[in-house]
Amino acid sequence: DIQLTQSPSFLSASVGDRVTITCRASQGISSYLAWYQQKPGKAPKLLIYAASTLQSGVPSRFSGSGSGTEFTLTISSLQPEDFATYYCQQLNSYSFTFGPGTKVDIK
Amino acid sequence: EVQLVESGGGLVQPGGSLRLSCAASGFTFSSYWMHWVRQAPGKGLVWVSRINSDGSSTSYADSVKGRFTISRDNAKNTLYLQMNSLRAEDTAVYYCAREGYYYDSSGYYYVSGFYWGQGTLVTVSS
């Protein structure tokens, strides 16, 4: 099975900061990676698919990059509504593994 | 608008059974592969099971294989998860999810990600 790791597990940031989260796969997954945002008590929301394509309706401050085994999610200027937990997910194999998550908290 | 509404969660004793349902609307249910994903309290997302569009093919996470059964009724636009021999470690919010797709220039399609219901809580405890 393909395993995903995320770093950092937790980050504390201020409004306006540029934030980068990394997701690494245990084997190559081409660009079959999605990013989600989850707020407490809510379902995850799809932000980015195919590693770098912004889902319709998602603000342009979110961007994704990478292929193979290393991927990044960047928030160019953190807004109050962006404080949440972010997960990556591989869609290369039917295990559809998720990363362990990165919690973005207010500094 | 895609709508997925889960129901059937609750408190059940270890060894017991529960059937979750997911009512779908706003899209052609019979055209999409569907999934169940769970999230234990304070923990991350874990994929549980998936079923193809006509119900003829299923797969499961090792942790639930042989205990859980995914099924669907396309006439009723409803997805199910039958959970047997429940354990304390099955305690979680269970989400129903629909695949999204994108197409390349050749017309071939790929899974983009999941669209989610609001979840239903299953608690396994004596």
PDB file of all heavy atoms in Angstrom, chain A residues 32 34 36 38 42-44 49-50 55 87 89 91 94-96 98, chain B residues 33 35 37 39 43-45 47 95 102 110-117:
ATOM      1  N   TYR A  32      -1.370  12.082  -9.179  1.00  0.00           N
ATOM      2  CA  TYR A  32      -2.670  11.653  -8.661  1.00  0.00           C
ATOM      3  C   TYR A  32      -2.790  11.977  -7.172  1.00  0.00           C
ATOM      4  O   TYR A  32      -2.818  11.076  -6.304  1.00  0.00           O
ATOM      5  CB  TYR A  32      -2.894  10.176  -8.937  1.00  0.00           C
ATOM      6  CG  TYR A  32      -2.828   9.829 -10.402  1.00  0.00           C
ATOM      7  CD1 TYR A  32      -1.947   8.847 -10.864  1.00  0.00           C
ATOM      8  CD2 TYR A  32      -3.623  10.494 -11.326  1.00  0.00           C
ATOM      9  CE1 TYR A  32      -1.871   8.537 -12.219  1.00  0.00           C
ATOM     10  CE2 TYR A  32      -3.551  10.195 -12.674  1.00  0.00           C
ATOM     11  CZ  TYR A  32      -2.675   9.213 -13.116  1.00  0.00           C
ATOM     12  OH  TYR A  32      -2.600   8.921 -14.458  1.00  0.00           O
ATOM     13  N   ALA A  34      -4.649  14.774  -4.254  1.00  0.00           N
ATOM     14  CA  ALA A  34      -5.619  15.810  -3.928  1.00  0.00           C
ATOM     15  C   ALA A  34      -5.309  16.389  -2.554  1.00  0.00           C
ATOM     16  O   ALA A  34      -4.705  15.720  -1.712  1.00  0.00           O
ATOM     17  CB  ALA A  34      -7.030  15.236  -3.942  1.00  0.00           C
ATOM     18  N   TYR A  36      -7.237  18.508   0.744  1.00  0.00           N
ATOM     19  CA  TYR A  36      -8.515  18.847   1.375  1.00  0.00           C
ATOM     20  C   TYR A  36      -8.272  19.770   2.565  1.00  0.00           C
ATOM     21  O   TYR A  36      -7.232  19.701   3.220  1.00  0.00           O
ATOM     22  CB  TYR A  36      -9.224  17.599   1.904  1.00  0.00           C
ATOM     23  CG  TYR A  36      -9.599  16.597   0.847  1.00  0.00           C
ATOM     24  CD1 TYR A  36      -8.706  15.600   0.472  1.00  0.00           C
ATOM     25  CD2 TYR A  36     -10.839  16.635   0.226  1.00  0.00           C
ATOM     26  CE1 TYR A  36      -9.036  14.676  -0.492  1.00  0.00           C
ATOM     27  CE2 TYR A  36     -11.185  15.699  -0.741  1.00  0.00           C
ATOM     28  CZ  TYR A  36     -10.273  14.733  -1.097  1.00  0.00           C
ATOM     29  OH  TYR A  36     -10.601  13.811  -2.055  1.00  0.00           O
ATOM     30  N   GLN A  38     -10.230  20.689   6.232  1.00  0.00           N
ATOM     31  CA  GLN A  38     -11.286  20.276   7.139  1.00  0.00           C
ATOM     32  C   GLN A  38     -11.312  21.185   8.362  1.00  0.00           C
ATOM     33  O   GLN A  38     -10.290  21.365   9.030  1.00  0.00           O
ATOM     34  CB  GLN A  38     -11.117  18.824   7.582  1.00  0.00           C
ATOM     35  CG  GLN A  38     -12.318  18.315   8.387  1.00  0.00           C
ATOM     36  CD  GLN A  38     -12.159  16.886   8.846  1.00  0.00           C
ATOM     37  OE1 GLN A  38     -11.074  16.414   9.144  1.00  0.00           O
ATOM     38  NE2 GLN A  38     -13.290  16.167   8.911  1.00  0.00           N
ATOM     39  N   LYS A  42     -16.823  19.493  10.667  1.00  0.00           N
ATOM     40  CA  LYS A  42     -17.279  19.571   9.274  1.00  0.00           C
ATOM     41  C   LYS A  42     -16.618  18.493   8.425  1.00  0.00           C
ATOM     42  O   LYS A  42     -15.581  17.943   8.779  1.00  0.00           O
ATOM     43  CB  LYS A  42     -16.953  20.951   8.686  1.00  0.00           C
ATOM     44  CG  LYS A  42     -17.595  22.112   9.423  1.00  0.00           C
ATOM     45  CD  LYS A  42     -19.103  22.090   9.294  1.00  0.00           C
ATOM     46  CE  LYS A  42     -19.723  23.337   9.892  1.00  0.00           C
ATOM     47  NZ  LYS A  42     -21.201  23.298   9.818  1.00  0.00           N
ATOM     48  N   ALA A  43     -17.226  18.224   7.273  1.00  0.00           N
ATOM     49  CA  ALA A  43     -16.641  17.293   6.324  1.00  0.00           C
ATOM     50  C   ALA A  43     -15.471  17.958   5.603  1.00  0.00           C
ATOM     51  O   ALA A  43     -15.423  19.185   5.476  1.00  0.00           O
ATOM     52  CB  ALA A  43     -17.693  16.855   5.302  1.00  0.00           C
ATOM     53  N   PRO A  44     -14.530  17.168   5.117  1.00  0.00           N
ATOM     54  CA  PRO A  44     -13.445  17.725   4.306  1.00  0.00           C
ATOM     55  C   PRO A  44     -13.989  18.377   3.036  1.00  0.00           C
ATOM     56  O   PRO A  44     -15.031  17.996   2.514  1.00  0.00           O
ATOM     57  CB  PRO A  44     -12.587  16.505   3.966  1.00  0.00           C
ATOM     58  CG  PRO A  44     -12.911  15.507   5.021  1.00  0.00           C
ATOM     59  CD  PRO A  44     -14.360  15.725   5.341  1.00  0.00           C
ATOM     60  N   TYR A  49      -6.855  19.243  -6.999  1.00  0.00           N
ATOM     61  CA  TYR A  49      -6.751  17.898  -7.534  1.00  0.00           C
ATOM     62  C   TYR A  49      -5.684  17.856  -8.617  1.00  0.00           C
ATOM     63  O   TYR A  49      -5.202  18.896  -9.072  1.00  0.00           O
ATOM     64  CB  TYR A  49      -8.105  17.396  -8.061  1.00  0.00           C
ATOM     65  CG  TYR A  49      -8.662  18.171  -9.240  1.00  0.00           C
ATOM     66  CD1 TYR A  49      -8.386  17.777 -10.547  1.00  0.00           C
ATOM     67  CD2 TYR A  49      -9.483  19.273  -9.037  1.00  0.00           C
ATOM     68  CE1 TYR A  49      -8.905  18.480 -11.617  1.00  0.00           C
ATOM     69  CE2 TYR A  49     -10.008  19.979 -10.105  1.00  0.00           C
ATOM     70  CZ  TYR A  49      -9.716  19.575 -11.398  1.00  0.00           C
ATOM     71  OH  TYR A  49     -10.240  20.264 -12.469  1.00  0.00           O
ATOM     72  N   ALA A  50      -5.323  16.643  -8.978  1.00  0.00           N
ATOM     73  CA  ALA A  50      -4.232  16.446  -9.941  1.00  0.00           C
ATOM     74  C   ALA A  50      -2.994  17.243  -9.531  1.00  0.00           C
ATOM     75  O   ALA A  50      -2.302  17.823 -10.386  1.00  0.00           O
ATOM     76  CB  ALA A  50      -4.687  16.821 -11.352  1.00  0.00           C
ATOM     77  N   GLN A  55      -9.667  23.467  -7.451  1.00  0.00           N
ATOM     78  CA  GLN A  55     -11.079  23.119  -7.559  1.00  0.00           C
ATOM     79  C   GLN A  55     -11.896  24.395  -7.744  1.00  0.00           C
ATOM     80  O   GLN A  55     -11.572  25.454  -7.167  1.00  0.00           O
ATOM     81  CB  GLN A  55     -11.524  22.372  -6.302  1.00  0.00           C
ATOM     82  CG  GLN A  55     -13.006  22.075  -6.188  1.00  0.00           C
ATOM     83  CD  GLN A  55     -13.493  21.054  -7.197  1.00  0.00           C
ATOM     84  OE1 GLN A  55     -12.721  20.484  -7.972  1.00  0.00           O
ATOM     85  NE2 GLN A  55     -14.794  20.818  -7.198  1.00  0.00           N
ATOM     86  N   TYR A  87      -5.343  17.865   4.617  1.00  0.00           N
ATOM     87  CA  TYR A  87      -4.975  16.488   4.324  1.00  0.00           C
ATOM     88  C   TYR A  87      -4.640  16.338   2.842  1.00  0.00           C
ATOM     89  O   TYR A  87      -5.327  16.909   1.988  1.00  0.00           O
ATOM     90  CB  TYR A  87      -6.141  15.536   4.627  1.00  0.00           C
ATOM     91  CG  TYR A  87      -6.532  15.432   6.076  1.00  0.00           C
ATOM     92  CD1 TYR A  87      -7.526  16.243   6.607  1.00  0.00           C
ATOM     93  CD2 TYR A  87      -5.916  14.504   6.919  1.00  0.00           C
ATOM     94  CE1 TYR A  87      -7.902  16.144   7.938  1.00  0.00           C
ATOM     95  CE2 TYR A  87      -6.291  14.404   8.257  1.00  0.00           C
ATOM     96  CZ  TYR A  87      -7.273  15.221   8.747  1.00  0.00           C
ATOM     97  OH  TYR A  87      -7.632  15.120  10.074  1.00  0.00           O
ATOM     98  N   GLN A  89      -4.289  13.312  -0.208  1.00  0.00           N
ATOM     99  CA  GLN A  89      -4.847  12.000  -0.526  1.00  0.00           C
ATOM    100  C   GLN A  89      -4.276  11.540  -1.853  1.00  0.00           C
ATOM    101  O   GLN A  89      -4.267  12.299  -2.816  1.00  0.00           O
ATOM    102  CB  GLN A  89      -6.370  12.047  -0.625  1.00  0.00           C
ATOM    103  CG  GLN A  89      -7.017  10.700  -0.944  1.00  0.00           C
ATOM    104  CD  GLN A  89      -8.459  10.810  -1.401  1.00  0.00           C
ATOM    105  OE1 GLN A  89      -8.884  11.848  -1.906  1.00  0.00           O
ATOM    106  NE2 GLN A  89      -9.227   9.755  -1.206  1.00  0.00           N
ATOM    107  N   LEU A  91      -4.569   9.203  -5.174  1.00  0.00           N
ATOM    108  CA  LEU A  91      -5.630   8.600  -5.979  1.00  0.00           C
ATOM    109  C   LEU A  91      -5.022   7.691  -7.048  1.00  0.00           C
ATOM    110  O   LEU A  91      -5.651   7.416  -8.064  1.00  0.00           O
ATOM    111  CB  LEU A  91      -6.473   9.713  -6.605  1.00  0.00           C
ATOM    112  CG  LEU A  91      -7.146  10.567  -5.533  1.00  0.00           C
ATOM    113  CD1 LEU A  91      -7.191  12.023  -5.934  1.00  0.00           C
ATOM    114  CD2 LEU A  91      -8.537  10.066  -5.244  1.00  0.00           C
ATOM    115  N   TYR A  94      -6.257   1.928  -5.371  1.00  0.00           N
ATOM    116  CA  TYR A  94      -7.576   1.843  -4.750  1.00  0.00           C
ATOM    117  C   TYR A  94      -7.581   1.897  -3.243  1.00  0.00           C
ATOM    118  O   TYR A  94      -8.645   1.876  -2.637  1.00  0.00           O
ATOM    119  CB  TYR A  94      -8.295   0.578  -5.228  1.00  0.00           C
ATOM    120  CG  TYR A  94      -8.863   0.738  -6.609  1.00  0.00           C
ATOM    121  CD1 TYR A  94      -8.625  -0.200  -7.596  1.00  0.00           C
ATOM    122  CD2 TYR A  94      -9.638   1.842  -6.933  1.00  0.00           C
ATOM    123  CE1 TYR A  94      -9.157  -0.047  -8.869  1.00  0.00           C
ATOM    124  CE2 TYR A  94     -10.165   2.001  -8.203  1.00  0.00           C
ATOM    125  CZ  TYR A  94      -9.917   1.056  -9.167  1.00  0.00           C
ATOM    126  OH  TYR A  94     -10.430   1.211 -10.424  1.00  0.00           O
ATOM    127  N   SER A  95      -6.424   1.982  -2.622  1.00  0.00           N
ATOM    128  CA  SER A  95      -6.440   2.203  -1.175  1.00  0.00           C
ATOM    129  C   SER A  95      -6.767   3.656  -0.830  1.00  0.00           C
ATOM    130  O   SER A  95      -7.147   3.943   0.304  1.00  0.00           O
ATOM    131  CB  SER A  95      -5.096   1.809  -0.554  1.00  0.00           C
ATOM    132  OG  SER A  95      -4.059   2.591  -1.108  1.00  0.00           O
ATOM    133  N   PHE A  96      -6.619   4.572  -1.825  1.00  0.00           N
ATOM    134  CA  PHE A  96      -7.006   5.984  -1.649  1.00  0.00           C
ATOM    135  C   PHE A  96      -6.521   6.566  -0.323  1.00  0.00           C
ATOM    136  O   PHE A  96      -7.255   7.266   0.362  1.00  0.00           O
ATOM    137  CB  PHE A  96      -8.521   6.130  -1.751  1.00  0.00           C
ATOM    138  CG  PHE A  96      -9.051   5.843  -3.124  1.00  0.00           C
ATOM    139  CD1 PHE A  96      -9.717   4.655  -3.389  1.00  0.00           C
ATOM    140  CD2 PHE A  96      -8.885   6.750  -4.151  1.00  0.00           C
ATOM    141  CE1 PHE A  96     -10.197   4.377  -4.668  1.00  0.00           C
ATOM    142  CE2 PHE A  96      -9.360   6.479  -5.430  1.00  0.00           C
ATOM    143  CZ  PHE A  96     -10.019   5.290  -5.687  1.00  0.00           C
ATOM    144  N   PHE A  98      -4.920   8.559   2.783  1.00  0.00           N
ATOM    145  CA  PHE A  98      -4.810   9.948   3.208  1.00  0.00           C
ATOM    146  C   PHE A  98      -3.523  10.151   4.006  1.00  0.00           C
ATOM    147  O   PHE A  98      -3.050   9.231   4.679  1.00  0.00           O
ATOM    148  CB  PHE A  98      -5.983  10.341   4.104  1.00  0.00           C
ATOM    149  CG  PHE A  98      -7.302  10.363   3.389  1.00  0.00           C
ATOM    150  CD1 PHE A  98      -8.088   9.221   3.329  1.00  0.00           C
ATOM    151  CD2 PHE A  98      -7.767  11.518   2.783  1.00  0.00           C
ATOM    152  CE1 PHE A  98      -9.314   9.227   2.669  1.00  0.00           C
ATOM    153  CE2 PHE A  98      -8.987  11.546   2.131  1.00  0.00           C
ATOM    154  CZ  PHE A  98      -9.756  10.393   2.074  1.00  0.00           C
TER     155      PHE A  98
ATOM    156  N   TRP B  33     -18.787   5.896  -8.893  1.00  0.00           N
ATOM    157  CA  TRP B  33     -18.263   5.061  -7.839  1.00  0.00           C
ATOM    158  C   TRP B  33     -18.416   5.811  -6.524  1.00  0.00           C
ATOM    159  O   TRP B  33     -18.247   7.038  -6.477  1.00  0.00           O
ATOM    160  CB  TRP B  33     -16.800   4.745  -8.103  1.00  0.00           C
ATOM    161  CG  TRP B  33     -16.570   3.862  -9.293  1.00  0.00           C
ATOM    162  CD1 TRP B  33     -17.233   3.877 -10.491  1.00  0.00           C
ATOM    163  CD2 TRP B  33     -15.570   2.845  -9.416  1.00  0.00           C
ATOM    164  NE1 TRP B  33     -16.717   2.932 -11.344  1.00  0.00           N
ATOM    165  CE2 TRP B  33     -15.692   2.278 -10.712  1.00  0.00           C
ATOM    166  CE3 TRP B  33     -14.586   2.356  -8.567  1.00  0.00           C
ATOM    167  CZ2 TRP B  33     -14.881   1.246 -11.158  1.00  0.00           C
ATOM    168  CZ3 TRP B  33     -13.764   1.339  -9.012  1.00  0.00           C
ATOM    169  CH2 TRP B  33     -13.912   0.797 -10.293  1.00  0.00           C
ATOM    170  N   HIS B  35     -17.752   5.765  -2.009  1.00  0.00           N
ATOM    171  CA  HIS B  35     -16.823   5.342  -0.968  1.00  0.00           C
ATOM    172  C   HIS B  35     -17.393   5.615   0.418  1.00  0.00           C
ATOM    173  O   HIS B  35     -18.264   6.478   0.594  1.00  0.00           O
ATOM    174  CB  HIS B  35     -15.504   6.115  -1.089  1.00  0.00           C
ATOM    175  CG  HIS B  35     -14.797   5.934  -2.391  1.00  0.00           C
ATOM    176  ND1 HIS B  35     -13.680   5.132  -2.533  1.00  0.00           N
ATOM    177  CD2 HIS B  35     -15.050   6.446  -3.617  1.00  0.00           C
ATOM    178  CE1 HIS B  35     -13.282   5.174  -3.786  1.00  0.00           C
ATOM    179  NE2 HIS B  35     -14.092   5.964  -4.478  1.00  0.00           N
ATOM    180  N   VAL B  37     -15.544   6.618   4.137  1.00  0.00           N
ATOM    181  CA  VAL B  37     -14.312   7.049   4.805  1.00  0.00           C
ATOM    182  C   VAL B  37     -14.675   7.322   6.255  1.00  0.00           C
ATOM    183  O   VAL B  37     -15.755   7.852   6.537  1.00  0.00           O
ATOM    184  CB  VAL B  37     -13.735   8.323   4.150  1.00  0.00           C
ATOM    185  CG1 VAL B  37     -12.475   8.789   4.898  1.00  0.00           C
ATOM    186  CG2 VAL B  37     -13.428   8.093   2.676  1.00  0.00           C
ATOM    187  N   GLN B  39     -13.415   8.628  10.385  1.00  0.00           N
ATOM    188  CA  GLN B  39     -12.516   9.489  11.140  1.00  0.00           C
ATOM    189  C   GLN B  39     -12.790   9.286  12.623  1.00  0.00           C
ATOM    190  O   GLN B  39     -13.831   9.707  13.128  1.00  0.00           O
ATOM    191  CB  GLN B  39     -12.719  10.951  10.741  1.00  0.00           C
ATOM    192  CG  GLN B  39     -11.724  11.907  11.360  1.00  0.00           C
ATOM    193  CD  GLN B  39     -11.818  13.300  10.764  1.00  0.00           C
ATOM    194  OE1 GLN B  39     -12.889  13.784  10.417  1.00  0.00           O
ATOM    195  NE2 GLN B  39     -10.671  13.960  10.621  1.00  0.00           N
ATOM    196  N   LYS B  43      -8.775  12.163  15.264  1.00  0.00           N
ATOM    197  CA  LYS B  43      -7.791  11.511  14.401  1.00  0.00           C
ATOM    198  C   LYS B  43      -7.989  11.893  12.934  1.00  0.00           C
ATOM    199  O   LYS B  43      -8.838  12.720  12.600  1.00  0.00           O
ATOM    200  CB  LYS B  43      -7.907   9.977  14.560  1.00  0.00           C
ATOM    201  CG  LYS B  43      -7.703   9.484  15.982  1.00  0.00           C
ATOM    202  CD  LYS B  43      -6.317   9.774  16.497  1.00  0.00           C
ATOM    203  CE  LYS B  43      -6.098   9.173  17.873  1.00  0.00           C
ATOM    204  NZ  LYS B  43      -4.739   9.490  18.401  1.00  0.00           N
ATOM    205  N   GLY B  44      -7.204  11.280  12.058  1.00  0.00           N
ATOM    206  CA  GLY B  44      -7.245  11.598  10.638  1.00  0.00           C
ATOM    207  C   GLY B  44      -8.258  10.780   9.866  1.00  0.00           C
ATOM    208  O   GLY B  44      -9.010   9.974  10.423  1.00  0.00           O
ATOM    209  N   LEU B  45      -8.261  10.989   8.561  1.00  0.00           N
ATOM    210  CA  LEU B  45      -9.200  10.324   7.657  1.00  0.00           C
ATOM    211  C   LEU B  45      -8.653   8.964   7.234  1.00  0.00           C
ATOM    212  O   LEU B  45      -7.477   8.838   6.903  1.00  0.00           O
ATOM    213  CB  LEU B  45      -9.412  11.203   6.427  1.00  0.00           C
ATOM    214  CG  LEU B  45      -9.943  12.605   6.705  1.00  0.00           C
ATOM    215  CD1 LEU B  45      -9.766  13.495   5.477  1.00  0.00           C
ATOM    216  CD2 LEU B  45     -11.410  12.539   7.119  1.00  0.00           C
ATOM    217  N   TRP B  47      -9.674   5.713   4.660  1.00  0.00           N
ATOM    218  CA  TRP B  47     -10.545   5.119   3.657  1.00  0.00           C
ATOM    219  C   TRP B  47     -11.003   3.737   4.123  1.00  0.00           C
ATOM    220  O   TRP B  47     -10.201   2.948   4.643  1.00  0.00           O
ATOM    221  CB  TRP B  47      -9.802   5.010   2.319  1.00  0.00           C
ATOM    222  CG  TRP B  47     -10.562   4.313   1.261  1.00  0.00           C
ATOM    223  CD1 TRP B  47     -11.536   4.843   0.461  1.00  0.00           C
ATOM    224  CD2 TRP B  47     -10.441   2.947   0.879  1.00  0.00           C
ATOM    225  NE1 TRP B  47     -12.015   3.895  -0.400  1.00  0.00           N
ATOM    226  CE2 TRP B  47     -11.362   2.717  -0.169  1.00  0.00           C
ATOM    227  CE3 TRP B  47      -9.641   1.887   1.309  1.00  0.00           C
ATOM    228  CZ2 TRP B  47     -11.500   1.484  -0.772  1.00  0.00           C
ATOM    229  CZ3 TRP B  47      -9.775   0.657   0.712  1.00  0.00           C
ATOM    230  CH2 TRP B  47     -10.708   0.462  -0.326  1.00  0.00           C
ATOM    231  N   TYR B  95     -18.142   8.889   6.858  1.00  0.00           N
ATOM    232  CA  TYR B  95     -18.533   9.759   5.760  1.00  0.00           C
ATOM    233  C   TYR B  95     -18.788   8.938   4.505  1.00  0.00           C
ATOM    234  O   TYR B  95     -18.000   8.049   4.152  1.00  0.00           O
ATOM    235  CB  TYR B  95     -17.420  10.758   5.433  1.00  0.00           C
ATOM    236  CG  TYR B  95     -17.132  11.793   6.490  1.00  0.00           C
ATOM    237  CD1 TYR B  95     -16.048  11.665   7.347  1.00  0.00           C
ATOM    238  CD2 TYR B  95     -17.936  12.927   6.610  1.00  0.00           C
ATOM    239  CE1 TYR B  95     -15.750  12.628   8.294  1.00  0.00           C
ATOM    240  CE2 TYR B  95     -17.654  13.908   7.556  1.00  0.00           C
ATOM    241  CZ  TYR B  95     -16.560  13.745   8.392  1.00  0.00           C
ATOM    242  OH  TYR B  95     -16.276  14.713   9.329  1.00  0.00           O
ATOM    243  N   TYR B 102     -11.958  14.246 -13.686  1.00  0.00           N
ATOM    244  CA  TYR B 102     -11.492  15.218 -14.660  1.00  0.00           C
ATOM    245  C   TYR B 102     -11.004  14.439 -15.880  1.00  0.00           C
ATOM    246  O   TYR B 102     -10.729  13.246 -15.802  1.00  0.00           O
ATOM    247  CB  TYR B 102     -10.398  16.126 -14.085  1.00  0.00           C
ATOM    248  CG  TYR B 102      -9.100  15.438 -13.742  1.00  0.00           C
ATOM    249  CD1 TYR B 102      -8.006  15.477 -14.613  1.00  0.00           C
ATOM    250  CD2 TYR B 102      -8.947  14.774 -12.539  1.00  0.00           C
ATOM    251  CE1 TYR B 102      -6.809  14.858 -14.290  1.00  0.00           C
ATOM    252  CE2 TYR B 102      -7.758  14.148 -12.201  1.00  0.00           C
ATOM    253  CZ  TYR B 102      -6.691  14.198 -13.072  1.00  0.00           C
ATOM    254  OH  TYR B 102      -5.497  13.588 -12.760  1.00  0.00           O
ATOM    255  N   TYR B 110     -10.005  10.619 -14.989  1.00  0.00           N
ATOM    256  CA  TYR B 110      -9.273  10.282 -13.771  1.00  0.00           C
ATOM    257  C   TYR B 110     -10.092  10.738 -12.565  1.00  0.00           C
ATOM    258  O   TYR B 110     -10.891  11.671 -12.670  1.00  0.00           O
ATOM    259  CB  TYR B 110      -7.919  10.988 -13.748  1.00  0.00           C
ATOM    260  CG  TYR B 110      -7.047  10.690 -14.940  1.00  0.00           C
ATOM    261  CD1 TYR B 110      -7.172  11.426 -16.107  1.00  0.00           C
ATOM    262  CD2 TYR B 110      -6.115   9.669 -14.910  1.00  0.00           C
ATOM    263  CE1 TYR B 110      -6.392  11.159 -17.217  1.00  0.00           C
ATOM    264  CE2 TYR B 110      -5.317   9.395 -16.012  1.00  0.00           C
ATOM    265  CZ  TYR B 110      -5.468  10.135 -17.163  1.00  0.00           C
ATOM    266  OH  TYR B 110      -4.694   9.870 -18.258  1.00  0.00           O
ATOM    267  N   VAL B 111      -9.848  10.119 -11.436  1.00  0.00           N
ATOM    268  CA  VAL B 111     -10.519  10.559 -10.208  1.00  0.00           C
ATOM    269  C   VAL B 111      -9.819  11.810  -9.705  1.00  0.00           C
ATOM    270  O   VAL B 111      -8.597  11.824  -9.517  1.00  0.00           O
ATOM    271  CB  VAL B 111     -10.489   9.462  -9.124  1.00  0.00           C
ATOM    272  CG1 VAL B 111     -11.175   9.965  -7.854  1.00  0.00           C
ATOM    273  CG2 VAL B 111     -11.152   8.195  -9.633  1.00  0.00           C
ATOM    274  N   SER B 112     -10.587  12.863  -9.501  1.00  0.00           N
ATOM    275  CA  SER B 112     -10.001  14.121  -9.014  1.00  0.00           C
ATOM    276  C   SER B 112      -9.931  14.141  -7.492  1.00  0.00           C
ATOM    277  O   SER B 112      -8.977  14.649  -6.906  1.00  0.00           O
ATOM    278  CB  SER B 112     -10.827  15.313  -9.499  1.00  0.00           C
ATOM    279  OG  SER B 112     -12.158  15.233  -9.014  1.00  0.00           O
ATOM    280  N   GLY B 113     -10.963  13.611  -6.860  1.00  0.00           N
ATOM    281  CA  GLY B 113     -11.045  13.643  -5.408  1.00  0.00           C
ATOM    282  C   GLY B 113     -12.442  13.243  -4.989  1.00  0.00           C
ATOM    283  O   GLY B 113     -13.205  12.701  -5.798  1.00  0.00           O
ATOM    284  N   PHE B 114     -12.736  13.476  -3.734  1.00  0.00           N
ATOM    285  CA  PHE B 114     -14.020  13.072  -3.170  1.00  0.00           C
ATOM    286  C   PHE B 114     -14.877  14.284  -2.825  1.00  0.00           C
ATOM    287  O   PHE B 114     -14.371  15.323  -2.414  1.00  0.00           O
ATOM    288  CB  PHE B 114     -13.793  12.275  -1.875  1.00  0.00           C
ATOM    289  CG  PHE B 114     -13.211  10.888  -2.064  1.00  0.00           C
ATOM    290  CD1 PHE B 114     -12.881  10.391  -3.315  1.00  0.00           C
ATOM    291  CD2 PHE B 114     -12.998  10.080  -0.955  1.00  0.00           C
ATOM    292  CE1 PHE B 114     -12.353   9.122  -3.474  1.00  0.00           C
ATOM    293  CE2 PHE B 114     -12.467   8.802  -1.097  1.00  0.00           C
ATOM    294  CZ  PHE B 114     -12.141   8.322  -2.350  1.00  0.00           C
ATOM    295  N   TYR B 115     -16.211  14.087  -2.956  1.00  0.00           N
ATOM    296  CA  TYR B 115     -17.206  15.024  -2.437  1.00  0.00           C
ATOM    297  C   TYR B 115     -17.919  14.302  -1.297  1.00  0.00           C
ATOM    298  O   TYR B 115     -18.295  13.151  -1.446  1.00  0.00           O
ATOM    299  CB  TYR B 115     -18.182  15.422  -3.539  1.00  0.00           C
ATOM    300  CG  TYR B 115     -17.486  16.143  -4.664  1.00  0.00           C
ATOM    301  CD1 TYR B 115     -16.962  15.437  -5.741  1.00  0.00           C
ATOM    302  CD2 TYR B 115     -17.311  17.525  -4.622  1.00  0.00           C
ATOM    303  CE1 TYR B 115     -16.294  16.096  -6.758  1.00  0.00           C
ATOM    304  CE2 TYR B 115     -16.650  18.182  -5.635  1.00  0.00           C
ATOM    305  CZ  TYR B 115     -16.137  17.462  -6.699  1.00  0.00           C
ATOM    306  OH  TYR B 115     -15.475  18.118  -7.702  1.00  0.00           O
ATOM    307  N   TRP B 116     -18.131  14.994  -0.186  1.00  0.00           N
ATOM    308  CA  TRP B 116     -18.451  14.340   1.075  1.00  0.00           C
ATOM    309  C   TRP B 116     -19.838  14.703   1.599  1.00  0.00           C
ATOM    310  O   TRP B 116     -20.324  15.814   1.419  1.00  0.00           O
ATOM    311  CB  TRP B 116     -17.440  14.797   2.136  1.00  0.00           C
ATOM    312  CG  TRP B 116     -16.010  14.587   1.746  1.00  0.00           C
ATOM    313  CD1 TRP B 116     -15.313  15.263   0.782  1.00  0.00           C
ATOM    314  CD2 TRP B 116     -15.103  13.653   2.308  1.00  0.00           C
ATOM    315  NE1 TRP B 116     -14.012  14.798   0.703  1.00  0.00           N
ATOM    316  CE2 TRP B 116     -13.862  13.810   1.634  1.00  0.00           C
ATOM    317  CE3 TRP B 116     -15.182  12.701   3.321  1.00  0.00           C
ATOM    318  CZ2 TRP B 116     -12.733  13.044   1.945  1.00  0.00           C
ATOM    319  CZ3 TRP B 116     -14.065  11.944   3.639  1.00  0.00           C
ATOM    320  CH2 TRP B 116     -12.854  12.117   2.953  1.00  0.00           C
ATOM    321  N   GLY B 117     -20.439  13.730   2.319  1.00  0.00           N
ATOM    322  CA  GLY B 117     -21.602  14.018   3.135  1.00  0.00           C
ATOM    323  C   GLY B 117     -21.158  14.634   4.450  1.00  0.00           C
ATOM    324  O   GLY B 117     -19.967  14.876   4.669  1.00  0.00           O
TER     325      GLY B 117
END
